[in-house]
Amino acid sequence: MLSYIESHETVFRLFSFFSIFIVMAAFEWLFPKRLLSISKAKRWLNNISLMVFNTVALRIVFPVAAAGFAAWCQSNGIGLFHVLELSHGIAVLLSIVALDGIIWFQHRLFHTVPLLWRLHAVHHADRDLDVTSGARFHTIEILLSMLIKLGAIALLGAPVVAVILFEVILSGMALFNHSNVALPQPVDKFVRWFVVTPDMHRVHHSIHRHESDSNFGFNLAIWDRLFNTYRAQPDEGHYGMTIGLSYVREEKHVVWLFGLLRMPFARNKAPSSAPSKKPNNSAL
């Protein structure tokens, strides 16, 4: 199975992405969590256009994708796992977990460094959350993320199949936990011990900074619990909370493609004062 995935990377990734996208879009229609404040057709048009634009930009700037770079590192014996000579299965498993942790730290870094936050704010400016929000990132952030990912692959010596699986898991989980789906509370309570659920990640998109600076995970839920950034619920509840950014709300900035691409360079700024400190709501 692993060899099949490695030899059919493009087909496997496209099939996985569109399958998860269609399933989550269907669940949003059948079991929506919140009413949307902006036309879905308008948001989907621009969010998907940004995703397509980013995909083209990635292919131009990085002709060799992450899996291709992993193959080059493997053939040259670059990376920790090649030095340790671990078994292939163990190296695959450890690579997926380690890459997930690195992406968690990257996400937190983009919230901490003001210049990086200006890029990441494009993702947070979405006034609604649904399956398309999981692929809505500024192009420069996507390119920087790929650089970080390539560095992590070289450091770890991650096997090619691990990189493919990780990218599929990462994109698939982003579609899942950004979706506007109402999971039954007992299901959510159990699942979020292992992976990030829509309710858990929705807190991260709160208009309040003390909430958006929590629940940084995209896949494994352990990192936020481990580093004390886990927040169980938003202060105002999932139906009362406001999603997005307080300082930029106009549709021309937060919905339309040109506004999204221009946002990091616009004059809209986050409040200069430090976010209010509130105790971490860690109870389930």
Side-chain angles (χ1 to χ4, degrees):
M1 180 61 179
L2 294 182
S3 60
Y4 176 85
I5 292 173
E6 190 170 334
S7 59
H8 297 82
E9 176 195 358
T10 303
V11 174
F12 178 70
R13 290 185 61 183
L14 288 175
F15 177 78
S16 300
F17 180 87
F18 285 108
S19 296
I20 296 170
F21 187 97
I22 291 170
V23 168
M24 296 316 303
F27 272 97
E28 285 184 339
W29 179 65
L30 292 170
F31 311 105
K33 180 76 175 186
R34 290 166 48 103
L35 293 176
L36 302 181
S37 63
I38 299 175
S39 161
K40 176 174 282 194
K42 191 188 299 182
R43 288 182 58 260
W44 277 40
L45 171 64
N46 288 278
N47 285 355
I48 293 174
S49 295
L50 179 58
M51 180 186 69
V52 172
F53 183 81
N54 289 344
T55 301
V56 173
L58 268 176
R59 291 301 180 187
I60 293 173
V61 178
F62 297 101
V64 178
F69 182 70
W72 180 82
C73 290
Q74 186 172 293
S75 64
N76 289 275
I78 296 173
L80 178 64
F81 293 153
H82 296 301
V83 174
L84 297 177
E85 297 183 349
L86 298 174
S87 69
H88 184 66
I90 295 297
V92 168
L93 179 61
L94 291 179
S95 294
I96 293 173
V97 174
L99 287 170
D100 194 74
I102 290 169
I103 292 299
W104 184 92
F105 278 106
Q106 173 195 312
H107 191 182
R108 191 165 184 180
L109 183 68
F110 272 71
H111 275 249
T112 304
V113 179
L115 186 60
L116 297 179
W117 168 250
R118 293 185 73 89
L119 298 172
H120 190 58
V122 172
H123 179 64
H124 278 265
D126 205 346
R127 285 166 47 189
D128 292 310
L129 280 187
D130 67 18
V131 66
T132 64
S133 304
R136 171 189 154 129
F137 294 91
H138 194 274
T139 310
I140 298 176
E141 178 177 359
I142 290 292
L143 297 176
L144 289 175
S145 296
M146 178 58 75
L147 277 176
I148 293 171
K149 191 184 300 178
L150 295 180
I153 290 169
L155 176 66
L156 296 171
V160 176
V161 70
V163 173
I164 297 171
L165 287 173
F166 173 73
E167 293 203 303
V168 168
I169 292 169
L170 185 65
S171 63
M173 287 301 297
L175 296 177
F176 166 68
N177 55 46
H178 284 86
S179 62
N180 185 36
V181 172
L183 287 181
Q185 188 174 1
V187 174
D188 175 87
K189 185 176 180 180
F190 174 76
V191 173
R192 68 166 59 195
W193 279 105
F194 307 99
V195 296
V196 178
T197 65
D199 275 10
M200 179 176 168
H201 192 70
R202 191 177 298 108
V203 180
H204 180 74
H205 282 266
S206 167
I207 198 171
H208 301 303
R209 192 63 187 264
H210 70 275
E211 292 180 340
S212 65
D213 282 344
S214 67
N215 297 4
F216 293 100
F218 274 106
N219 176 29
L220 297 178
I222 188 175
W223 307 115
D224 285 299
R225 296 179 187 275
L226 187 62
F227 294 102
N228 198 33
T229 54
Y230 173 68
R231 181 174 290 273
Q233 305 294 337
D235 293 342
E236 296 160 339
H238 286 285
Y239 298 104
M241 68 180 291
T242 302
I243 290 172
L245 299 174
S246 61
Y247 57 92
V248 52
R249 306 291 293 175
E250 300 88 348
E251 287 191 17
K252 65 179 180 179
H253 298 307
V254 304
V255 176
W256 295 100
L257 178 62
F258 179 75
L260 298 180
L261 292 173
R262 182 177 175 271
M263 187 186 298
F265 314 103
R267 293 184 178 181
N268 298 312
K269 293 183 179 180
S272 58
S273 59
S276 60
K277 298 295 183 180
K278 293 195 177 183
N280 219 21
N281 176 15
S282 60
L284 277 173

